[in-house]
Amino acid sequence: AQSVTQLGSHVSVSEGALVLLRCNYSSSVPPYLFWYVQYPNQGLQLLLKYTTGATLVKGINGFEAEFKKSETSFHLTKPSAHMSDAAEYFCAVTSTGNQFYFGTGTSLTVIP
Amino acid sequence: GAVVSQHPSRVICKSGTSVKIECRSLDFQATTMFWYRQFPKQSLMLMATSNEGSKATYEQGVEKDKFLINHASLTLSTLTVTSAHPEDSSFYICSASGAVQDNEQFFGPGTRLTVL
């Protein structure tokens, strides 16, 4: 079975500060890991994904995440927060592509 | 590439009526489509998985007679909410994956259903 835990349902950062959104997963098979962003009343937009290869993955809008197998983590970071980053972020894991397991989401607030 | 559209984006209907939501993959063949439901401030809940030409597989607790899913072609799946009631009001999101999409799902923009 697979599952995803996102620590912190709400995260607030100042504009220009580091963004760190945590994601831990459980999987008995090699996982594929994803981060999605959702703006109000919109669908999910893929930020980045890890499938195989390099464990540090760079995505859109300056975000990146590092797959750490030993820690079963896939935390999302951005060096400098922008007001437009305020949104809901979801981490997801799958091994087949058919069954996605989503975390409960983290709401990011950026304080001017 | 890999664009998924949904129509309508918003729908308001009276209690007891049926509503059909379309999900289309615009630039790839979607062998599998997924329907999710999202309540306010919550994560996505998978409702059902459909493969082209086959009956949908529903998740536990999802009424298949209430939420009719059709996946008649490789680019179109529909979700029909039959005899809608206010508790069916929600945000419905579809996603699609194809044979060459490397274990990834591509999400539609969602449909906001409000049942009065």
Side-chain angles (χ1 to χ4, degrees), chain B residues 11-20 66 80-85 88 113-116:
Chain B
V11 57
I12 300 173
C13 69
K14 293 183 179 180
S15 185
T17 61
S18 294
V19 174
K20 180 184 285 188
K66 173 78 171 176
T80 301
V81 183
T82 62
S83 187
H85 290 281
D88 298 324
L113 170 63
T114 303
V115 185
L116 303 176

Short mmCIF file of all heavy atoms in Angstrom, two decimals, chain B residues 11-20 66 80-85 88 113-116:
data_model
loop_
_atom_site.label_atom_id
_atom_site.label_comp_id
_atom_site.label_asym_id
_atom_site.label_seq_id
_atom_site.Cartn_x
_atom_site.Cartn_y
_atom_site.Cartn_z
N VAL B 11 -21.51 24.67 -13.21
CA VAL B 11 -22.90 24.35 -13.52
C VAL B 11 -23.73 24.45 -12.25
O VAL B 11 -23.30 24.00 -11.19
CB VAL B 11 -23.03 22.95 -14.17
CG1 VAL B 11 -22.43 21.87 -13.30
CG2 VAL B 11 -24.46 22.64 -14.53
N ILE B 12 -24.88 25.07 -12.40
CA ILE B 12 -25.84 25.17 -11.31
C ILE B 12 -27.12 24.48 -11.77
O ILE B 12 -27.60 24.75 -12.87
CB ILE B 12 -26.13 26.65 -10.96
CG1 ILE B 12 -24.84 27.35 -10.53
CG2 ILE B 12 -27.17 26.74 -9.84
CD1 ILE B 12 -25.00 28.85 -10.33
N CYS B 13 -27.63 23.60 -10.96
CA CYS B 13 -28.84 22.88 -11.38
C CYS B 13 -29.78 22.73 -10.19
O CYS B 13 -29.40 22.93 -9.04
CB CYS B 13 -28.48 21.51 -11.94
SG CYS B 13 -27.84 20.35 -10.72
N LYS B 14 -31.00 22.38 -10.52
CA LYS B 14 -32.00 22.16 -9.48
C LYS B 14 -31.92 20.73 -8.97
O LYS B 14 -31.54 19.80 -9.71
CB LYS B 14 -33.40 22.43 -10.03
CG LYS B 14 -33.66 23.89 -10.37
CD LYS B 14 -35.09 24.07 -10.85
CE LYS B 14 -35.39 25.53 -11.17
NZ LYS B 14 -36.79 25.73 -11.64
N SER B 15 -32.29 20.55 -7.75
CA SER B 15 -32.30 19.23 -7.15
C SER B 15 -33.21 18.29 -7.95
O SER B 15 -34.30 18.67 -8.37
CB SER B 15 -32.80 19.32 -5.70
OG SER B 15 -32.72 18.09 -5.06
N GLY B 16 -32.73 17.09 -8.21
CA GLY B 16 -33.50 16.11 -8.95
C GLY B 16 -33.14 16.01 -10.42
O GLY B 16 -33.52 15.05 -11.09
N THR B 17 -32.41 16.97 -10.91
CA THR B 17 -32.00 16.93 -12.32
C THR B 17 -30.67 16.20 -12.46
O THR B 17 -29.98 15.94 -11.47
CB THR B 17 -31.87 18.34 -12.90
OG1 THR B 17 -30.86 19.06 -12.17
CG2 THR B 17 -33.19 19.09 -12.81
N SER B 18 -30.34 15.86 -13.71
CA SER B 18 -29.07 15.19 -13.98
C SER B 18 -28.12 16.14 -14.69
O SER B 18 -28.55 17.00 -15.46
CB SER B 18 -29.31 13.94 -14.84
OG SER B 18 -30.06 12.98 -14.12
N VAL B 19 -26.87 15.98 -14.41
CA VAL B 19 -25.85 16.86 -14.97
C VAL B 19 -24.74 16.02 -15.59
O VAL B 19 -24.27 15.06 -14.96
CB VAL B 19 -25.24 17.77 -13.87
CG1 VAL B 19 -24.08 18.58 -14.43
CG2 VAL B 19 -26.30 18.67 -13.29
N LYS B 20 -24.33 16.39 -16.79
CA LYS B 20 -23.26 15.67 -17.47
C LYS B 20 -22.02 16.55 -17.55
O LYS B 20 -22.09 17.71 -17.97
CB LYS B 20 -23.67 15.24 -18.87
CG LYS B 20 -22.56 14.48 -19.63
CD LYS B 20 -22.96 14.14 -21.04
CE LYS B 20 -23.94 13.00 -21.09
NZ LYS B 20 -24.19 12.55 -22.49
N LYS B 66 -25.40 6.41 -9.23
CA LYS B 66 -25.53 7.84 -9.00
C LYS B 66 -24.57 8.61 -9.91
O LYS B 66 -24.89 9.65 -10.45
CB LYS B 66 -25.19 8.13 -7.54
CG LYS B 66 -25.10 9.58 -7.16
CD LYS B 66 -26.47 10.16 -7.00
CE LYS B 66 -26.40 11.53 -6.40
NZ LYS B 66 -27.75 12.14 -6.33
N THR B 80 -21.88 11.60 -15.41
CA THR B 80 -23.24 12.09 -15.25
C THR B 80 -23.67 11.90 -13.81
O THR B 80 -23.67 10.77 -13.31
CB THR B 80 -24.21 11.35 -16.19
OG1 THR B 80 -23.80 11.53 -17.55
CG2 THR B 80 -25.63 11.91 -16.03
N VAL B 81 -24.00 13.01 -13.18
CA VAL B 81 -24.53 12.95 -11.82
C VAL B 81 -26.05 12.87 -11.96
O VAL B 81 -26.70 13.83 -12.41
CB VAL B 81 -24.13 14.19 -11.01
CG1 VAL B 81 -24.63 14.08 -9.58
CG2 VAL B 81 -22.61 14.36 -11.03
N THR B 82 -26.61 11.74 -11.62
CA THR B 82 -28.04 11.54 -11.81
C THR B 82 -28.82 11.96 -10.57
O THR B 82 -28.35 11.80 -9.43
CB THR B 82 -28.34 10.06 -12.11
OG1 THR B 82 -27.94 9.27 -10.99
CG2 THR B 82 -27.59 9.60 -13.34
N SER B 83 -29.98 12.54 -10.81
CA SER B 83 -30.85 12.99 -9.73
C SER B 83 -30.04 13.70 -8.65
O SER B 83 -29.96 13.27 -7.49
CB SER B 83 -31.61 11.80 -9.13
OG SER B 83 -32.58 12.23 -8.18
N ALA B 84 -29.43 14.77 -9.08
CA ALA B 84 -28.51 15.48 -8.18
C ALA B 84 -29.22 16.07 -6.97
O ALA B 84 -30.37 16.51 -7.05
CB ALA B 84 -27.82 16.58 -8.96
N HIS B 85 -28.51 16.06 -5.86
CA HIS B 85 -29.01 16.65 -4.62
C HIS B 85 -27.96 17.63 -4.09
O HIS B 85 -26.79 17.57 -4.48
CB HIS B 85 -29.30 15.54 -3.60
CG HIS B 85 -30.49 14.71 -3.97
ND1 HIS B 85 -31.79 15.13 -3.76
CD2 HIS B 85 -30.58 13.50 -4.56
CE1 HIS B 85 -32.63 14.21 -4.20
NE2 HIS B 85 -31.92 13.21 -4.70
N ASP B 88 -24.44 16.65 -3.42
CA ASP B 88 -23.56 16.33 -4.55
C ASP B 88 -22.77 17.55 -5.00
O ASP B 88 -21.88 17.43 -5.86
CB ASP B 88 -24.38 15.80 -5.72
CG ASP B 88 -25.12 14.51 -5.39
OD1 ASP B 88 -24.55 13.68 -4.64
OD2 ASP B 88 -26.26 14.34 -5.87
N LEU B 113 -19.82 22.08 -9.43
CA LEU B 113 -21.25 21.75 -9.48
C LEU B 113 -21.93 22.27 -8.23
O LEU B 113 -21.50 21.97 -7.11
CB LEU B 113 -21.45 20.24 -9.57
CG LEU B 113 -22.89 19.73 -9.40
CD1 LEU B 113 -23.79 20.27 -10.51
CD2 LEU B 113 -22.94 18.21 -9.37
N THR B 114 -22.98 23.04 -8.45
CA THR B 114 -23.81 23.53 -7.35
C THR B 114 -25.24 23.06 -7.58
O THR B 114 -25.82 23.34 -8.63
CB THR B 114 -23.79 25.06 -7.26
OG1 THR B 114 -22.44 25.51 -7.11
CG2 THR B 114 -24.62 25.55 -6.08
N VAL B 115 -25.77 22.33 -6.63
CA VAL B 115 -27.14 21.82 -6.73
C VAL B 115 -28.01 22.58 -5.73
O VAL B 115 -27.72 22.58 -4.53
CB VAL B 115 -27.20 20.31 -6.44
CG1 VAL B 115 -28.63 19.78 -6.67
CG2 VAL B 115 -26.22 19.55 -7.32
N LEU B 116 -29.02 23.23 -6.26
CA LEU B 116 -29.88 24.06 -5.41
C LEU B 116 -31.03 23.26 -4.81
O LEU B 116 -31.46 22.26 -5.37
CB LEU B 116 -30.44 25.23 -6.23
CG LEU B 116 -29.37 26.13 -6.89
CD1 LEU B 116 -30.04 27.18 -7.74
CD2 LEU B 116 -28.48 26.76 -5.83
#
